[in-house]
């Protein structure tokens, strides 16, 4: 049964450890491992049935819109390539190649290029919204796999798989990535008091610089394919740190967790150029001098959000310090809820 008006949302994520090991060819050859957690910032999607023959696609946070007579497939050029790609896949797989008239509106709770996995969360939210709109049954794993397929394989956008699975599942997870896009998601059981303390210790800082991750990921991929020794050694160590971070959280050792964030950031910078910048280095050194346990840039690097762990009694002081660099500092909360959708009518 098709629905007339549905909404969906999927959470963004913080990647704590193992980032970049979920990207091919590393995960195909060596197996990737990532520790991440969903946070209470979301990608949002609305899908509404239309009474005419039009398809209207809107990225409200980018002030972009595209409209044309319903046809399948839509041309997957810009603008709104992600939205067109999701529409095309659902029409091909679940509408017998017909084109359904509809309006799809998307937006996220953070700027594009934030390093919080917003693009992939948006695709997951669109898949979840279209699933409900067309009356389909899919579990979290199927939603994530389909979103990955659309974004990485059909549209050819560079990146790994952790963002799609974090958005679909929610919660704190250790994820394993293998060849042929095989993914295993294992929830990490951490005492509630430890997660509350982690929330109380966490500061997110938006540098004010949005970045395209593709160039960084493509350089990392090139280094992996050429088996560049320095890059490979760094990735092996980054993967090992994901297990260490999990163990630190399970045991409630947040200073150790922060130190692992710090060492992981040092390793990350060795996998490609442009992961850091003069501005990022200045902010990071000031935070270290302030006394943070550790931190890193979220996502591929180059800009977007940075995260820091600090004694909760000093968190407001850290936020004031970070704000002097011109960006914005904020707290964050974790969410155990993954992608979800509901009927409006």
């Amino acid at each position: 049964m098709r629905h007339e008006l549905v909404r969906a949302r999927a959470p963004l994520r913080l990647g704590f450890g193992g980032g970049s090991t979920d990207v091919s060819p590393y995960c195909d050859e060596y197996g990737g491992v990532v520790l991440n957690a969903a946070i209470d910032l979301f990608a949002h999607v609305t899908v509404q049935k239309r009474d005419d023959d039009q398809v209207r696609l809107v990225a409200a946070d980018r002030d972009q819109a595209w409209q044309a007579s319903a046809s399948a497939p839509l041309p997957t050029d810009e603008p709104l390539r992600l939205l067109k790609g999701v529409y095309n896949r659902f029409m091909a797989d679940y509408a017998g190649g017909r084109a359904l008239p509809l309006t799809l509106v998307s937006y996220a709770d953070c700027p594009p290029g934030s390093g919080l996995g917003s693009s992939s969360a948006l695709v997951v939210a669109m898949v979840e919204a279209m699933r409900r709109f067309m009356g389909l049954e899919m579990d979290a794993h199927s939603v994530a796999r389909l979103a990955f397929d659309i974004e990485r394989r059909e549209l050819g956008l560079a990146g790994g798989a952790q963002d799609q699975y974090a958005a679909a599942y929610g919660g704190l997870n250790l994820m394993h990535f293998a060849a042929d896009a095989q993914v295993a998601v294992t929830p990490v059981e951490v005492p509630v008091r430890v997660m509350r303390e982690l929330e109380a210790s966490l500061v997110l800082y938006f540098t004010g610089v949005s970045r395209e991750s593709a160039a960084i990921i493509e350089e990392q991929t090139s280094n992996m394919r050429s088996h560049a020794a320095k890059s490979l050694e760094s990735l092996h160590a980054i993967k090992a740190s994901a297990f260490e971070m999990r163990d630190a959280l399970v045991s409630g050792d947040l200073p150790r967790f922060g130190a692992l964030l710090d060492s992981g950031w040092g390793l990350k910078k060795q996998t490609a150029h442009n992961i850091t910048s003069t501005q990022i280095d200045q902010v990071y050194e000031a935070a270290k001098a302030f006394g943070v346990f550790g931190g890193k840039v979220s996502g591929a690097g180059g800009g977007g959000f940075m995260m820091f762990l600090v004694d909760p009694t000093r968190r407001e002081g850290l936020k004031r310090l970070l704000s002097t660099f011109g960006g914005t500092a904020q707290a964050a909360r974790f969410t155990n809820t993954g992608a979800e959708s509901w009927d409006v009518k």
Side-chain angles (χ1 to χ4, degrees), residues 186-210:
T186 305
V188 180
E189 300 296 332
V190 175
V192 172
R193 63 174 181 80
V194 176
M195 293 305 292
R196 294 290 178 266
E197 184 71 5
L198 182 59
E199 280 186 343
S201 306
L202 187 65
V203 173
L204 298 186
Y205 172 72
F206 182 59
T207 61
V209 178
S210 296

Side-chain angles (χ1 to χ4, degrees), residues 11-242:
L12 310 187
R13 62 95 185 102
L14 290 178
F16 292 133
S20 299
T21 70
D22 60 320
V23 179
S24 294
Y26 183 89
C27 62
D28 303 326
E29 292 188 40
Y30 305 102
V33 178
V34 170
L35 179 71
N36 61 31
I39 57 175
D40 68 340
L41 297 172
F42 297 89
H44 304 265
V45 171
T46 294
V47 180
Q48 185 167 17
K49 177 183 175 183
R50 295 180 68 98
D51 295 326
D52 55 18
D53 70 342
Q54 298 287 296
V55 173
R56 179 171 176 80
L57 306 175
V58 180
D61 48 356
R62 296 186 181 219
D63 196 24
Q64 292 181 331
W66 182 93
Q67 185 168 333
S69 296
S71 63
L74 302 177
T76 54
D77 55 354
E78 295 293 355
L80 308 182
R81 193 176 173 203
L82 288 175
L83 282 66
K84 293 172 182 175
V86 173
Y87 179 87
N88 286 347
R89 180 63 178 266
F90 272 85
M91 296 308 103
D93 286 6
Y94 306 109
R98 293 180 299 113
L100 300 179
L102 57 81
T103 296
L104 190 157
V105 180
S106 70
Y107 64 94
D109 291 338
C110 68
S114 64
L116 301 178
S118 58
S119 293
S120 296
L122 180 63
V123 178
V124 168
M126 284 192 282
V127 169
E128 174 61 23
M130 288 298 296
R131 176 200 71 75
R132 178 172 289 274
F133 180 73
M134 297 182 70
L136 306 169
E137 293 293 331
M138 292 183 194
D139 61 14
H141 203 87
S142 300
V143 168
R145 177 63 184 256
L146 180 54
F148 172 83
D149 226 37
I150 294 169
E151 186 176 1
R152 304 291 182 229
R153 293 181 167 173
E154 294 182 6
L155 296 177
L157 299 174
Q162 69 154 313
D163 296 350
Q164 293 88 352
Y165 286 85
Y169 277 85
L172 173 69
N173 297 292
L174 191 73
M175 301 182 178
H176 291 75
F177 304 90
D180 300 321
Q182 295 301 305
V183 182
V185 178
T186 305
V188 180
E189 300 296 332
V190 175
V192 172
R193 63 174 181 80
V194 176
M195 293 305 292
R196 294 290 178 266
E197 184 71 5
L198 182 59
E199 280 186 343
S201 306
L202 187 65
V203 173
L204 298 186
Y205 172 72
F206 182 59
T207 61
V209 178
S210 296
R211 87 290 177 270
E212 291 293 337
S213 61
I216 294 171
I217 293 168
E218 284 165 4
E219 183 185 348
Q220 289 174 330
T221 301
S222 176
N223 288 339
M224 293 174 204
R225 288 201 177 104
S226 65
H227 293 85
K230 186 176 181 181
S231 181
L232 267 183
E233 288 169 8
S234 297
L235 287 166
H236 292 334
I238 286 169
K239 180 171 72 172
S241 74

Side-chain angles (χ1 to χ4, degrees), residues 237-310:
I238 286 169
K239 180 171 72 172
S241 74
F243 293 104
E244 295 181 75
M245 287 183 178
R246 175 201 60 188
D247 295 344
L249 280 182
V250 170
S251 65
D253 190 347
L254 292 188
R256 170 69 176 154
F257 184 79
L260 288 164
L261 280 178
D262 180 60
S263 61
W265 172 235
L267 292 166
K268 179 87 169 178
K269 290 187 287 185
Q270 298 177 33
T271 63
H273 296 93
N274 300 322
I275 282 179
T276 191
S277 66
T278 301
Q279 177 198 12
I280 289 171
D281 288 341
Q282 289 175 343
V283 172
Y284 198 85
E285 289 307 312
K288 288 291 291 293
F290 181 83
V292 299
F293 300 142
K296 60 173 293 211
V297 172
S298 185
F305 275 88
M306 305 174 73
M307 70 176 95
F308 297 100
L309 249 61
V310 68

